[in-house]
Amino acid sequence: MSAASCLLSEDQFLCCICLDVFTDPVSTPCGHNFCKNCINEHWNSNDQYLCPLCKKVFYTKPELHINTFISEMVSQFRQEAQQKASSSSSEQQAAKPGEVPCDACTGTKLKALKSCLVCLTSYCETHLEPHLTVSRLKRHQLMDPVENLEDRMCKKHDKPLELFCKTDQTCVCMLCSVIDHKTHDVVPLKQEYEGKKAELGKTEAEIQKMIQKRRLKIKKITHSVDLNKEAADREKARGVQVFTALKESVERSLNELIETIEEKQRTTEKQAEDFIKELEQEISELKKRSSEVEKLSHSEDHLHLLQNFPSLKAAPPTKDWTEVSVRPSSYEGTVVKAVAQLEETLSKQKKKLVKAEAQLKKVQQYAVDVTLDPDTAHPQLILSKNKKQVNHGDVKKNLPDNRKRFSYCVSVLGKQSFSSGRFYFEVQVKEKTDWTLGVARRSINRKGNIKLSPQDGVWTIWLRNRNEYSANSGPAVRVSLKSEPQKVGVFVDYEKGLVSFYDVDAVALIYSFTGCSFTEKLYPFFSPCNNDGGKNSAPLIICPTSAVFTDPCKTQ
């Protein structure tokens, strides 16, 4: 029995009425088998007793008995199917929240693989097998598992919604297409699906394009915000510097005013003190003479009085104090005069600042896009991907020692060269303790020690030890700055032989090389100097200026 059952398929145990495995199988006189309830309901709903398979008509309702043989076979088949399902279910996953469960599972609901639009049932791998092997079930329409299969049936005709009415833009069943939508443009659901899917593909592509545009816009806006912040910080730094200078000027003018007033006060008091001292001296002399006169007037010695009378008869000589007076100093107009002088000083500083701003804006009009040339970089230098940053690394990289590369000094040149006209670029030197910036001619020595002087084809300024600024004019010239530059601008006028360096934030000229003689191509020159144990690890950064277009989407 067991061996024979292995040759049987589920197709042999299906009732042709319910299309499921027999339940209480019975045999008709014509030899066909059905579920007892299925054949009884079929006969009760019809006017005659007709076999659903061979169409044989019975004039009286046949007496039906359970087919024990088939019943045993079905029982055996169910048991084997249950064991197979149990074994398969251990390998399959139980349906998780949000997943469609198998409608045929009795215990743990397994995850459904397909839904049948004819049976209106979802099946797991095990329970789906009849639809893949039984010839009658193969004709059923399967789809990816979905819930609420009843929503896919026509409410009016209880048939699958397998057509699409393009006229009414609605899903319909086969009966709808020949009754209610007879004159309409009706196409198979799959055909309309493919068309709508293609449209959705175009919509998705357009949406993705819109997303990309907006992401790019976000990057541009963010870049603008960053530039705005830099400009705001730069302007705040300038404001602090300018108003600090103004404050110092006002305080200096106030001190000068107070000193002027106090000097006048001291002069008046000194004059009064001298007069009082002189008067007190005369008073002392007069008191002395008064004492002598009084003593002589009381003398009874006739001879003594007569002998001393000539020298005591008159008052001692004194100054005529009639016209002498101490007049208070005039302070009127002192404050007004001081304010006028302050206004003149501020006006000069304003003109100086405006002139400096105009000069910086003028040279910034010649801004160029400068990038670093990796072929010239010393092996210990680290360049960013966009060739805009350079800093010193502790490890010497194994690079080809070409004729362009600096092998001794930790330097790098710009990729761009200039042999005429004017050009300008800016470099951030923030948080660095040592750096060197400028321009160099093409024939600069790259394999040995570099003499930083115009005579050797290098026009640079540098910072050493955090606060020592010098122009390397051969010999070096110390440069005194009111503040530490955070960003340095470099301007070259090739024909005029001019190389100027600017403190961009302070809008101030740092130093200018004049009367230079250029006969070769000039290259921007950068040296971040040694790392110094991490103290000088910050990079030199070539900054964009307003005159140069920069792509905000590029990464460093």
Side-chain angles (χ1 to χ4, degrees):
M1 181 70 165
S2 177
S5 66
C6 295
L7 302 176
L8 299 177
S9 66
E10 187 172 0
D11 193 15
Q12 296 172 284
F13 301 105
L14 293 181
C15 171
C16 66
I17 297 176
C18 67
L19 298 178
D20 203 350
V21 178
F22 289 125
T23 302
D24 296 332
V26 295
S27 298
T28 61
C30 58
H32 294 115
N33 302 305
F34 305 94
C35 294
K36 185 176 182 180
N37 288 337
C38 290
I39 191 62
N40 283 328
E41 289 180 2
H42 176 71
W43 284 341
N44 291 338
S45 61
N46 289 279
D47 296 335
Q48 56 184 351
Y49 305 114
L50 181 72
C51 175
L53 286 178
C54 67
K55 308 302 180 183
K56 180 177 178 61
V57 178
F58 305 105
Y59 297 101
T60 59
K61 184 177 181 180
E63 185 179 357
L64 299 175
H65 301 280
I66 300 295
N67 189 322
T68 56
F69 176 75
I70 294 179
S71 180
E72 290 178 1
M73 293 289 289
V74 167
S75 177
Q76 179 69 19
F77 182 84
R78 286 183 183 277
Q79 184 177 0
E80 292 179 359
Q82 187 175 2
Q83 292 175 352
K84 182 178 178 181
S86 176
S87 175
S88 177
S89 65
S90 63
E91 299 176 359
Q92 299 181 57
Q93 294 181 349
K96 298 177 182 178
E99 295 179 340
V100 179
C102 174
D103 295 323
C105 290
T106 56
T108 301
K109 294 289 186 179
L110 300 182
K111 177 182 176 181
L113 293 184
K114 294 290 181 179
S115 293
C116 178
L117 293 179
V118 178
C119 303
L120 294 182
T121 305
S122 296
Y123 298 104
C124 64
E125 181 180 358
T126 301
H127 294 108
L128 179 64
E129 186 174 354
H131 281 74
L132 303 177
T133 57
V134 179
S135 58
R136 288 192 299 275
L137 297 181
K138 285 182 179 180
R139 294 192 292 269
H140 289 193
Q141 185 177 353
L142 298 177
M143 63 177 297
D144 290 336
V146 293
E147 293 183 316
N148 303 322
L149 284 168
E150 59 273 11
D151 294 340
R152 297 176 177 271
M153 300 297 290
C154 177
K155 305 296 184 183
K156 186 174 183 180
H157 303 107
D158 198 26
K159 298 290 183 181
L161 297 172
E162 51 187 352
L163 300 174
F164 184 81
C165 177
K166 302 183 74 171
T167 305
D168 293 341
Q169 290 293 301
T170 184
C171 297
V172 297
C173 70
M174 190 64 70
L175 289 178
C176 289
S177 66
V178 297
I179 300 176
D180 302 325
H181 301 263
K182 184 176 182 180
T183 60
H184 293 180
D185 184 8
V186 178
V187 296
L189 204 62
K190 184 177 181 181
Q191 179 181 329
E192 186 66 18
Y193 162 83
E194 295 295 340
K196 289 294 190 288
K197 187 176 181 180
E199 289 183 21
L200 288 177
K202 293 180 181 179
T203 303
E204 173 65 13
E206 185 65 26
I207 291 173
Q208 289 299 324
K209 188 176 179 181
M210 294 172 65
I211 290 173
Q212 288 301 112
K213 285 184 178 180
R214 279 150 183 77
R215 284 176 176 169
L216 180 60
K217 179 62 70 175
I218 288 173
K219 288 185 178 180
K220 289 183 178 180
I221 293 174
T222 303
H223 181 65
S224 298
V225 171
D226 293 339
L227 291 180
N228 181 70
K229 183 179 184 302
E230 290 179 5
D233 292 341
R234 183 164 59 250
E235 201 65 17
K236 286 191 288 185
R238 287 180 55 202
V240 170
Q241 186 178 30
V242 170
F243 278 89
T244 298
L246 293 178
K247 180 181 177 182
E248 292 174 353
S249 181
V250 171
E251 290 177 347
R252 186 165 54 252
S253 296
L254 176 59
N255 292 334
E256 290 175 357
L257 171 64
I258 293 174
E259 180 61 28
T260 299
I261 295 173
E262 289 180 347
E263 179 62 28
K264 287 184 177 182
Q265 182 184 1
R266 286 193 297 270
T267 300
T268 301
E269 290 176 352
K270 180 65 169 58
Q271 185 185 37
E273 287 177 0
D274 292 342
F275 286 160
I276 291 172
K277 185 177 181 180
E278 189 175 353
L279 286 168
E280 287 178 346
Q281 182 66 32
E282 289 187 356
I283 289 173
S284 179
E285 292 294 330
L286 289 172
K287 283 184 176 180
K288 181 178 179 182
R289 179 62 60 87
S290 175
S291 178
E292 292 176 350
V293 169
E294 183 181 3
K295 182 178 181 182
L296 183 60
S297 65
H298 288 88
S299 175
E300 298 294 333
D301 187 343
H302 301 150
L303 180 62
H304 176 70
L305 188 148
L306 293 173
Q307 289 177 336
N308 290 284
F309 178 77
S311 59
L312 297 176
K313 68 175 183 178
T318 56
K319 184 177 180 178
D320 185 4
W321 294 92
T322 304
E323 301 298 329
V324 176
S325 64
V326 177
R327 295 180 181 179
S329 298
S330 176
Y331 300 106
E332 184 177 352
T334 305
V335 175
V336 174
K337 183 179 179 181
V339 172
Q341 291 177 343
L342 176 60
E343 288 178 346
E344 183 179 357
T345 300
L346 296 180
S347 178
K348 289 180 180 179
Q349 291 182 349
K350 179 182 177 181
K351 290 179 180 179
K352 184 178 179 181
L353 180 61
V354 171
K355 183 178 179 181
E357 286 184 338
Q359 179 64 25
L360 183 58
K361 287 183 179 179
K362 182 178 179 181
V363 300
Q364 284 178 331
Q365 293 177 358
Y366 301 98
V368 294
D369 187 12
V370 174
T371 55
L372 302 170
D373 185 356
D375 291 337
T376 67
H378 185 275
Q380 283 185 300
L381 293 183
I382 301 173
L383 275 59
S384 62
K385 290 182 179 179
N386 66 349
K387 306 300 184 292
K388 291 286 187 179
Q389 299 187 23
V390 57
N391 63 296
H392 182 265
D394 294 324
V395 179
K396 187 174 183 179
K397 298 186 290 293
N398 185 19
L399 298 175
D401 188 15
N402 59 66
R403 60 183 181 82
K404 297 169 59 176
R405 190 179 306 283
F406 290 98
S407 59
Y408 184 80
C409 296
V410 285
S411 306
V412 60
L413 296 180
K415 186 77 173 177
Q416 296 72 24
S417 63
F418 305 90
S419 56
S420 64
R422 302 164 183 166
F423 64 93
Y424 173 85
F425 60 94
E426 292 179 354
V427 182
Q428 179 178 303
V429 296
K430 187 178 180 180
E431 297 179 358
K432 292 195 66 63
T433 61
D434 300 271
W435 51 261
T436 304
L437 288 175
V439 293
R441 66 189 181 194
R442 182 178 183 179
S443 60
I444 182 177
N445 177 24
R446 308 189 190 193
K447 301 303 177 183
N449 190 23
I450 302 175
K451 294 181 180 180
L452 297 178
S453 69
Q455 293 78 10
D456 295 286
V458 190
W459 294 264
T460 59
I461 63 172
W462 72 15
L463 166 66
R464 294 294 183 268
N465 303 320
R466 292 187 179 275
N467 57 7
E468 296 177 7
Y469 296 91
S470 298
N472 300 305
S473 56
V477 176
R478 289 290 297 272
V479 179
S480 178
L481 301 178
K482 292 183 179 180
S483 61
E484 297 180 3
Q486 303 296 299
K487 188 183 295 183
V488 175
V490 182
F491 172 71
V492 176
D493 189 325
Y494 196 96
E495 281 71 25
K496 286 187 177 181
L498 173 68
V499 181
S500 297
F501 298 87
Y502 293 87
D503 182 340
V504 178
D505 295 332
V507 193
L509 177 66
I510 298 175
Y511 188 84
S512 287
F513 292 92
T514 58
C516 306
S517 178
F518 302 133
T519 58
E520 300 179 26
K521 288 183 178 180
L522 296 180
Y523 291 83
F525 178 90
F526 309 86
S527 176
C529 299
N530 291 328
N531 192 27
D532 193 19
K535 296 179 182 178
N536 191 38
S537 61
L540 290 176
I541 304 176
I542 301 173
C543 303
T545 60
S546 57
V548 176
F549 171 78
T550 56
D551 188 350
C553 297
K554 287 185 177 180
T555 57
Q556 296 180 355

